[in-house]
Amino acid sequence: MKINSEKSKEIIISFAQDGNFRSTIPNIKIDGRDIAQVCHAKLLGVTISQDLTWNKHVDNIVKRAGKRLYMLYQVKRAWITQKDLVSVYVSVVRPVLEYACPVWHTNLPHYLSDNIEVIQKRALKCIFPGLGYAEILRRVNLDTLNVRRNSICQHIKYNVRQQNVYPLPVTRTNRFRNSFIPWALYNCQ
């Protein structure tokens, strides 16, 4: 297999506050070409940042879901029933908001979770104008996105631990402990 140097990116993972460390690290070369150093890159649809925060990823999925939300507004103008509009939301918009959530949900701060939840609120308010968010959720039997992401993580955690017994890793920081694999191993017992 040959590595394409034009498509390859280099991310230096660091939690340092200043960016001076970058100048001391030599560039990686493939076929005599320098690999571009970037602050964030997309890997299988998940945006990974050099400081391992999820701000850029959440911004990307909120932007993509917002574009799909526009389609929901257009479909509503065609006098589709509310039940069908909810189905459109669940099948077209919500998957964007939940894609690969076991990777990033366990380390997501509340303010980013709220940014994602705003998209669902906007979609449901579009479908059911004049009702409160909690009332709409109850009426259409949906959960908040945070609850759904938790249940998805719990389901994956259960499947991982069901088959094998893994030793629990020693975690010194909350950042590592809240990353998916340690979180899943610690919370399944």
Side-chain angles (χ1 to χ4, degrees):
M1 176 169 82
K2 188 169 177 155
I3 297 175
N4 187 341
S5 60
E6 293 176 12
K7 292 183 178 180
S8 300
K9 308 282 186 231
E10 174 187 8
I11 298 179
I12 299 172
I13 306 294
S14 173
F15 305 115
Q17 296 299 321
D18 61 349
N20 296 338
F21 65 91
R22 288 181 167 275
S23 60
T24 61
I25 299 174
N27 287 348
I28 296 175
K29 293 184 183 239
I30 297 178
D31 295 332
R33 291 182 158 165
D34 285 343
I35 299 299
Q37 284 187 356
V38 294
C39 297
H40 53 81
K42 234 178 196 182
L43 181 63
L44 299 175
V46 177
T47 306
I48 300 172
S49 299
Q50 70 183 9
D51 57 357
L52 297 180
T53 59
W54 298 107
N55 299 37
K56 187 73 174 168
H57 177 69
V58 169
D59 289 345
N60 287 343
I61 65 172
V62 165
K63 190 180 298 181
R64 285 183 51 220
K67 290 176 183 176
R68 292 183 182 203
L69 201 56
Y70 175 74
M71 189 252 330
L72 183 68
Y73 288 118
Q74 297 301 317
V75 171
K76 182 183 178 185
R77 293 175 58 198
W79 300 100
I80 305 284
T81 65
Q82 289 179 329
K83 181 180 177 186
D84 290 339
L85 287 171
V86 170
S87 295
V88 169
Y89 163 73
V90 167
S91 60
V92 175
V93 180
R94 192 169 69 180
V96 173
L97 301 171
E98 295 177 338
Y99 177 73
C101 69
V103 174
W104 49 267
H105 169 68
T106 57
N107 227 355
L108 197 65
H110 289 290
Y111 73 94
L112 291 177
S113 183
D114 292 343
N115 289 353
I116 297 169
E117 196 72 37
V118 164
I119 296 293
Q120 178 163 292
K121 287 180 184 177
R122 283 176 46 202
L124 295 178
K125 290 281 190 172
C126 165
I127 298 169
F128 298 96
L131 292 177
Y133 184 55
E135 172 63 26
I136 297 170
L137 291 176
R138 203 170 26 261
R139 184 178 282 194
V140 295
N141 197 25
L142 290 178
D143 289 325
T144 65
L145 292 174
N146 191 41
V147 169
R148 278 192 49 84
R149 289 191 307 267
N150 275 330
S151 73
I152 291 169
C153 290
Q154 293 290 333
H155 178 72
I156 288 180
K157 169 194 74 171
Y158 176 76
N159 287 341
V160 167
R161 287 296 287 194
Q162 192 70 1
Q163 297 165 354
N164 297 309
V165 176
Y166 298 103
L168 297 175
V170 176
T171 58
R172 290 180 284 160
T173 64
N174 283 336
R175 181 188 301 263
F176 178 55
R177 185 181 188 118
N178 290 333
S179 63
F180 175 69
I181 293 174
W183 178 88
L185 293 175
Y186 275 100
N187 289 301
C188 67
Q189 298 182 34

